[in-house]
Amino acid sequence: LLNANNNLLKNGILIFDFWYGPGVLNAKQQTRIKKLIINNKIVKRISKSKIDILNNTVDVNIKVQSENNLKKIYVNENHNMRYFFLPELELFLNFAGFKLIKTYRSFSSTKPTVDDWNAIVVAKKIK
């Protein structure tokens, strides 16, 4: 946020998305599976989430499997993601010289709810 502040003019607008804490906690730990067929290859993505409530983080383990008649390819990655609650996000924004203007559900013009994992912030540079 400090870096964003350094790169914006006064009254500049900062827009970003984040993982919305109430939605993350409401959704709980999830396993999501997606399958696609691309050029006669089956691509399967398995995403498992494990929430660490004490640190406000989620470990997301992603496995991608691609296979056709000749070979199989496996890729694993792990992402440790931080989720935020609006009071702490507003505090961080204020510390970095921003004022929180509005918060939205992702791809919407309404406020986020406990059913939303992602949300968007609009903030204004004030110092």
Side-chain angles (χ1 to χ4, degrees):
L1 293 173
L2 290 171
N3 192 35
N5 185 296
N6 290 335
N7 287 285
L8 282 173
L9 299 173
K10 189 170 182 185
N11 297 319
I13 300 295
L14 174 65
I15 302 171
F16 62 93
D17 68 331
F18 68 100
W19 281 19
Y20 182 60
V24 171
L25 296 179
N26 185 51
K28 301 192 173 57
Q29 301 174 133
Q30 296 184 3
T31 298
R32 296 179 182 163
I33 300 173
K34 291 185 180 182
K35 284 185 180 181
L36 295 170
I37 298 176
I38 303 171
N39 297 330
N40 296 324
K41 293 181 187 175
I42 299 171
V43 178
K44 184 175 171 182
R45 180 181 185 262
I46 303 167
S47 174
K48 293 184 180 182
S49 302
K50 183 176 179 186
I51 298 173
D52 180 348
I53 293 173
L54 294 178
N55 291 304
N56 291 358
T57 60
V58 179
D59 277 324
V60 183
N61 182 275
I62 300 168
K63 293 181 181 180
V64 179
Q65 304 168 350
S66 175
E67 55 188 76
N68 62 17
N69 294 334
L70 302 175
K71 64 180 177 176
K72 295 181 182 181
I73 300 170
Y74 299 95
V75 176
N76 292 323
E77 22 181 288
N78 195 55
H79 300 267
N80 186 264
M81 303 294 292
R82 171 75 153 83
Y83 56 88
F84 296 91
F85 295 90
L86 289 180
E88 68 177 332
L89 201 50
E90 188 167 17
L91 179 70
F92 297 152
L93 285 163
N94 289 340
F95 178 78
F98 288 96
K99 179 180 179 185
L100 178 65
I101 303 297
K102 198 85 171 171
T103 307
Y104 298 101
R105 300 171 70 188
S106 284
F107 304 104
S108 173
S109 60
T110 60
K111 292 181 178 182
T113 70
V114 295
D115 295 322
D116 298 305
W117 189 293
N118 297 327
I120 295 171
V121 157
V122 178
K124 184 177 183 179
K125 179 178 176 174
I126 54 175
K127 22 179 176 165

